[in-house]
Amino acid sequence: MLNVDHGDIAGSLLVDFSEGLAALRMGVGELRDDALQPRPWMDPETWMHEHIDLPKSKTERSGKLVLTGYQREFLRLYFDPETSEIDGTKGIRVGMSLLLSTLAAYILDYLGESVTIAQPTEEDAKQFYKERIEPLFTICPSLGAKRRQPARGESQDTWNLIEFTNGAVLRLVGAASDDSFRRYGSKHNWGDEYSANAWRPKAGSQGSKADLFMGRGGEYARPKLVLISSPTVKGECLTTERYDKSDKQEPWNACPHCREMQVFEWGEKDTPYGFKLQRDAHGFVTEVHYECRHCHEPIREHDRFEEPVTVNGRECFTHKEYLDATTQYRPSATWKVPGRRGMYVPQWLSPNGQAAWKLLGQSFLNNHKDPEERKTWVNNVMGVAFDDMTTTAMDASDGSRWVKDYPAEVPDDVVVLTMGVDTQTNKEGNHLEELASREATVVGFNRFGQKRVIGHWIVEGAPGDPASDARLRALINRKFKKRDGKELGILATAIDLGGHYADEVRAFCASFLKNRNVWAVKGRNNAKGTRSATAWPRKVSKSSKSGAHFYVIDSQLCRDAVFRYMQMRGDNAMWVPSSILAAYPRYLDKLLCEERRKVKAGWYWQPRKGQRAEEFWMCLAYAYAALKGLQASYSAWRDLNVAAGYLEIPMTPHDPVTGEIDYDGPDLSAHAIERMGSGIEMAAVAATPPFTKPSKKASAQAEERKAAPIPAQVAQPPKQAAPKAKKVLKQFKSSWGRGW
């Protein structure tokens, strides 16, 4: 048996690893301290300032990106761990698109996480890529360097799906289709222009598109949803509806004088604080300042401090810079949905040139008289939903302020006359004995679009009855006088098709020459209760049975507009001739027969308790539709202020002889003159000659006149341009036959 000394063998196999082990430990330490160390944390504001360089061709704020006060607060709220959603209601031109695109660069490049941005439609998404995303790869070189280049045989990234070498993905989608919110995961999901109709769920859809969008972040621990938009009308605005369930963060700013924090408000002229306007002798804004609600000192955006004031490390030289540096967003409510933040961003916070306070003040003066323009101003400048339907409880006593004694059939400031006609099958009787009639209201509109009711007439008899048609035709062809002797004709008429007389109404309207603008109209049937973009349709409809033309109008939108005008007070109030109350004692009461209510998901005008949709009210809506049809058909009437200038219509009604502004005399309106026996007796008017088809030459001339050149857009023709003004006036008079 072989004896082996195991100690000798072990000793011969012993190896010294101490040097290698020390080298390994040193290498691991170097990796841990260098390559394996996470990058030092860089907050988004600092990163965006260091990595994004704005060119002059894209914005006035060229150079290194410096965020405004609300933008810094947006980032603070966005990266707050408690925030799951931000709903922003904003004015226009506040820099939100710039903020979202540059924030996307930070998340994609620095954080390496995916972002999905949804626009209302795919076309909007393409435009956003072209205007905001494509330039981003140039103004942010570090992001452009990470854009993944396709390997050989692979296709290039498309505009709506862009991949990066760090694993991040940018998607751009349109919200119109539910399919845009399926089959992918994304931690950061942002919806732009959320108030647009494309975001609304369609019939048979899976529900709220915002909730579907939020579901794309379901695989992540803290996904983020952002929904941003300029608002629309309260009760219909998707953004406001979501914002109302948030914590409603409002911007607070410090007064440069007393340093007290406050929320800036537009305010009224009688309030002891808010924006105040100073005007020159011509009514133009010369200065706008804000009166502090605490010290009542004026705050002017361009006023300079004697010495620069430092706030949060920023040097402020002007009041506007100080306001921006002190911006803080504070919640004004307890959120109804945990994690949902709301942000309100009015335009006066923006440093953009078009958001200068003086320009906003002038814009307010230009638009506050016209309800439609005032709505746009409230949405785009104040950044809040327009709420004008909250006083539907007003009664006839409120309407007494409309009643006026007219100095003539037509008030001095009226620019154009239209007529609305409501067709009634039977207001009385039964289904065996129909007492049909048509009721018509002639309305004058001044340069601000405000209504001057000229009169209301009842034409008994069914459409198609020769005698009844003759009476209505005579009213359509009737002219009305101003006190300076000028006669105005009705330039456009909208006639309701009615329940049983659609063919007869269409035939009656077709019997007029095209340039008489007598249109058969039908209210749009919208089960959702939403509004169209415009009251007048873009395309004419045609009867499948007779081939006759008619127009499908948004009668709900027309009633919205009429009610807004009815709410205006003082010099801007609607006018109703006192003689109409003698003819129809309950005119004012019946004019307020409906109120707007929310039914399911939409808003509808519904009869008030114990009432019905009265003809007086509906005729005003149809007369407004006729105005919109006239403006859609002829460019010269699209701006009534411009038309008033060329037609030499006074801005303020006054006696053409004495110059006196207020009229103090007997009512000389149409119904008053008829009662005196000097008006036109409609029942005695013989039928006008039957319609005969015009010759081809006459039709060609009519079309040529319709395409008359558009007048230059000035408020009032200057004296030295009198020959040109006369030429344009001639075009107005000749282009629409009996109208002038």
Side-chain angles (χ1 to χ4, degrees), residues 30 56 117 203 349 420-421 485 575 587 682:
E30 289 176 352
K56 289 184 178 180
I117 303 177
L349 292 181
V421 182
W575 287 6
Y587 181 83
M682 301 305 302

Side-chain angles (χ1 to χ4, degrees), residues 300-319:
R300 300 180 177 88
E301 56 182 337
H302 300 302
D303 275 6
R304 301 182 70 85
F305 294 104
E306 292 183 3
E307 295 290 337
V309 178
T310 302
V311 180
N312 298 325
R314 295 174 181 267
E315 277 196 326
C316 305
F317 297 90
T318 67
H319 286 184

Side-chain angles (χ1 to χ4, degrees), residues 89 195-197 200 229-242 244 371-372 374-376 378-380 383-390 529-533 556-557 560-561 563-564 567 596 598 601-605:
T89 173
S195 295
N197 283 330
R200 296 184 181 278
S229 183
S230 298
T232 55
V233 177
K234 189 173 180 62
E236 300 176 18
C237 179
L238 292 175
T239 308
T240 303
E241 182 179 320
R242 212 153 178 105
D244 285 343
E372 286 300 317
R374 189 171 75 254
K375 170 189 171 185
T376 302
V378 169
N379 292 159
N380 294 347
V384 297
F386 189 57
D387 184 8
D388 62 340
M389 303 297 172
T390 58
T530 57
R531 304 296 192 259
S532 303
Q556 297 286 331
L557 187 60
D560 287 350
F563 188 77
R564 291 187 189 111
Q567 285 180 294
R596 204 174 71 150
K598 191 165 187 178
W603 290 83
Y604 296 87
W605 284 96

Side-chain angles (χ1 to χ4, degrees), residues 260-286:
E260 289 287 342
M261 298 290 287
Q262 57 198 286
V263 176
F264 278 41
E265 300 178 30
W266 192 255
E268 300 292 339
K269 62 182 180 180
D270 298 327
T271 58
Y273 60 88
F275 285 97
K276 305 297 180 181
L277 282 59
Q278 295 181 11
R279 291 178 277 180
D280 60 19
H282 302 287
F284 296 113
V285 175
T286 57

